[in-house]
Amino acid sequence: MAGEWRKATFQQLIDDRLLEIGDGYRAQNSELGGTGPIFLRAGHVTDSHIDFTGIERFHEHLVEKVRSKMSKVGDTIITTKGNSTGRTSFVTDRLPPFVYSPHLSYWRSRDPKTLCGGFFRYWSQGVEFIEQLSGMKASTDMAPYLSLTDQRRLSITLPPLPEQKAIAAVLGALDDKIELNRRMNATLEAMARALFQSWFVDFDPVRAKLDGRKPSAIDPDVAALFPDTFQEAEVGHIPKGWTVQPVGEVVDCVGGGTPSTAEPSYWVGGTHHWTTPKDFSALEAPILLDTDRKLTAAGIAKISSGLLPSGTLLLSSRAPVGYLAIAAIPVAINQGFIALKCNERASNFFMLNWCQTNMAEIESRATGTTFAEISKQNFRPIRVVLPSKELMSAFTAKVAPLYSKITANLHQSRTLATLRDTLLPKLLSGELSVAGGSFSELLSGANPRDAKP
């Protein structure tokens, strides 16, 4: 099989009319702000997916002008400037069409009977491309930049078309299931946030009772836990019988620390999770499954808050303020966190949503000249409106299955990603062949087309 593979440069593939590469459209500010095509910037291309949050759109009358820079299903996308140079993604049929920005390039097969676009998706994650990219980035003293000229010089090892398609299918099924899990988790989290908003911010069940209506979409036994009128409080009108307390009097708020990195006995061979805000930067859901670094028992002993139990809510207090996650593992924290040790009076799920809802208030209490930081002293006085213990318990019971499913999806996605990352170099090198379908058992349960969202 390996003897049938061939090497080619991108320029040769372009000359043979097999490959098209291009860059993006340089938009003027006056061209944006409409309801037309999406303008995709490099910052929207993450390590795992394309994030359309905060996208801008062209004005409708510019559709024809930008059409030549529009995405097509099967495009491999690559970021070409700055520290993110070399980050890649792929255009599937589930994505809306968009216009590429100047800091993005695309690789597009012009002959699917010879060149599989999905193969480029995974070749861009393999060692052959990464090594060439590294050499190109090191050839300049300026900020990394991958020009179209550089891209034309890239050399690629191509298997026969059936093998290209099989590689794309095997790895694509794994990535598609990971993406399905990500979207499912976003939906589950949105459901939990919507319930919190309805019950504890908008007070919908209370307003319904006040108007003489039955609260909608609530079991009668839960509806009975809501009062039918409001009372005046220091934060405004709140449901009758509810209380307002400083968050520091409701849950235990503690900080962390960093044992000396010069002392090997604190780190070498460590098995206890220790986290910094850096671990939170790539989280796709507010659940912490693992940490980059581990501490020994001696290292844990150097942190006043020690090893915090699973279920602790973690809020980053600097660099930046506002990362949030519930620890699914016992974990120690560095000084960049406020850890909320929750209880039946205010569960971790309630406090997670409370922090998300009140993040503007939390950020407003941050101080500092070099970087913003909110201290425990400034965080603890923030007021939280609390329902009865019975209603708190009912909310927790409602959303716990949602977060449990989120956690299960995250674990599954990690397993699938490990499998993908193990297979990818073996498939791209020809060490393993899948063209004959011999790896179908690896995809059992991984194909999103067989799954229900």
Side-chain angles (χ1 to χ4, degrees), residues 242-317:
W242 292 20
T243 61
V244 180
Q245 293 180 250
V247 66
E249 294 180 9
V250 178
V251 298
D252 192 12
C253 304
V254 300
T258 302
S260 172
T261 56
E263 177 49 63
S265 66
Y266 298 157
W267 303 94
V268 177
T271 58
H272 301 291
H273 293 279
W274 176 79
T275 191
T276 73
K278 182 180 178 181
D279 288 324
F280 285 52
S281 61
L283 293 184
E284 293 182 358
I287 304 293
L288 181 67
L289 299 181
D290 198 4
T291 60
D292 183 56
R293 302 190 68 181
K294 310 290 191 299
L295 284 171
T296 63
I300 293 292
K302 292 295 180 179
I303 301 176
S304 59
S305 54
L307 195 64
L308 299 168
S310 176
T312 301
L313 175 61
L314 305 179
L315 164 69
S316 66
S317 56

Side-chain angles (χ1 to χ4, degrees), residues 19 37 52 68 106 154 172 200 223 240 246 288 293 305 323 337 354 371 380 389-390 395 437:
L19 178 68
F52 289 95
S68 65
Y106 63 86
L154 290 169
F200 304 121
K240 186 176 181 179
L288 181 67
R293 302 190 68 181
S305 54
Y323 284 153
F337 286 102
W354 179 84
F371 51 79
R380 288 186 177 116
K389 290 183 179 180
E390 293 78 13
F395 173 76

Side-chain angles (χ1 to χ4, degrees), residues 156-184:
I156 183 173
T157 303
L158 286 168
L161 182 63
E163 191 76 13
Q164 293 179 39
K165 289 183 175 180
I167 290 171
V170 168
L171 300 178
L174 297 172
D175 267 338
D176 287 351
K177 176 54 179 170
I178 292 170
E179 171 61 12
L180 177 64
N181 285 347
R182 185 193 67 79
R183 290 187 286 117
M184 188 184 301

